[in-house]
Amino acid sequence: MSGIHNIVVLTGAGISAESGVPTFRTKNGVNYWDIGDGHDDYRVEDVCTPEALAADPDLVHRFYDARRAALATVEPNAAHRALARLDAAWPGALLIVTQNVDDLHERAGASRLLHMHGELNSALCAACGARVPWAGDMPPGTRCDACGGAAMRPDIVFFGEMPYAMDRIERTLSDADLFVSIGTSGAVYPAAGFVQTARYHGATTLEMNLEPSAGSAYFHETRLGPASGLVPAWVETLLS
Ligand code: NAD
């Protein structure tokens, strides 16, 4: 495609939905997760805030232990594979920024990838900031190998915390020729504002989602449908 060198792709929970990873569900304006572990739905504010971790570490750790374990039962889908193909073949600059904490992009083979909201397969020491790869359960009070503090927590950016690599993301957005958003509701900031930044700096903007996102008006083009169909078709056109 002429004139396009720098591409930024933002992905959200919707790209992993067809792999069987649950997106948010909303009841009466309240966001929930049903992760299929037999527990009643988990309210976002009960498991995804610093306050929740302080108030009920057992619940928060159990929730992320279950989500981490569930990764073994899911596989990348055609949309993850298409982005990995783009990553391997695109001669220009590319950055895939994912809000997802699953590992489906990397398992599909993508490497120009940044997890802005953290990763299930990583642990963060709340005392010294060390980040280490993690597999299996993480009981509350697990000690950090680096500092010895009993402060290991899931390496997840909770609501109210600063996402990772915002400086790099902002710089990359300001250089983008094309910004593409896939499977995100456009409700969670700062990611929801990336389209405006990219467009302000002159990028063409495209979204692919099941339904128009909250920021749909900021996109030059919206394609509606499942990511497993839309993303491979878009990548095919881009690379041909
Ligand atoms: P969201 O759940 O708010 O929105 C998901 C969006 O994807 C919706 O607009 C929905 O219409 C769309 N969608 C659903 N199925 C789709 C499909 N098959 N193809 C295309 N689009 C589809 O998710 P969000 O915008 O990413 O924001 C929620 C927050 O929760 C983020 O921080 C996100 O990372 C996190 N989260 C992550 C995961 C994960 O790691 N897989 C899962 C749930 C939520």
Side-chain angles (χ1 to χ4, degrees):
M1 208 171 273
S2 65
I4 295 176
H5 179 81
N6 297 343
I7 302 177
V8 178
V9 177
L10 172 69
T11 67
I15 197 170
S16 295
E18 290 168 85
S19 293
V21 182
T23 60
F24 278 160
R25 286 170 32 193
T26 305
K27 284 183 214 155
N28 304 323
V30 178
N31 286 323
Y32 290 81
W33 270 294
D34 174 3
I35 61 168
D37 66 345
H39 184 280
D40 280 347
D41 294 340
Y42 294 90
R43 293 191 323 157
V44 166
E45 48 270 50
D46 291 341
V47 293
C48 201
T49 64
E51 294 77 15
L53 181 64
D56 194 345
D58 285 324
L59 177 74
V60 173
H61 280 260
R62 193 165 66 232
F63 172 74
Y64 287 102
D65 286 349
R67 292 191 68 191
R68 196 177 302 110
L71 288 183
T73 69
V74 298
E75 296 291 337
N77 65 51
H80 300 104
R81 289 194 296 274
L83 289 185
R85 179 181 168 222
L86 180 67
D87 185 2
W90 183 248
L94 170 75
L95 182 63
I96 302 168
V97 179
T98 187
Q99 300 168 84
N100 295 344
V101 296
D102 65 54
D103 60 351
L104 295 178
H105 282 302
E106 46 270 59
R107 278 162 58 191
S111 57
R112 290 188 270 180
L113 173 71
L114 199 158
H115 280 274
M116 66 176 289
H117 288 168
E119 297 172 63
L120 285 168
N121 287 332
S122 176
L124 169 70
C125 176
C128 76
R131 301 175 74 196
V132 291
W134 200 265
D137 289 349
M138 186 191 306
T142 298
R143 288 200 177 276
C144 171
D145 283 343
C147 75
M152 296 310 276
R153 54 164 270 189
D155 189 5
I156 302 293
V157 177
F158 291 144
F159 285 92
E161 296 180 330
M162 180 62 89
Y164 287 119
M166 283 304 297
D167 285 352
R168 181 178 169 205
I169 294 171
E170 292 286 341
R171 264 197 322 273
T172 309
L173 285 170
S174 68
D175 277 344
D177 303 309
L178 176 63
F179 172 78
V180 181
S181 171
I182 302 167
T184 177
S185 59
V188 178
Y189 280 83
F194 290 174
V195 58
Q196 292 167 74
T197 305
R199 194 166 169 162
Y200 174 81
H201 288 282
T204 298
T205 56
L206 164 68
E207 83 168 331
M208 294 181 253
N209 210 42
L210 266 191
E211 59 199 356
S213 68
S216 215
Y218 296 112
F219 288 89
H220 290 103
E221 187 187 354
T222 294
R223 298 183 190 173
L224 299 182
S228 65
L230 293 178
V231 181
W234 169 68
V235 169
E236 181 64 38
T237 306
L238 200 61
L239 292 179
S240 62

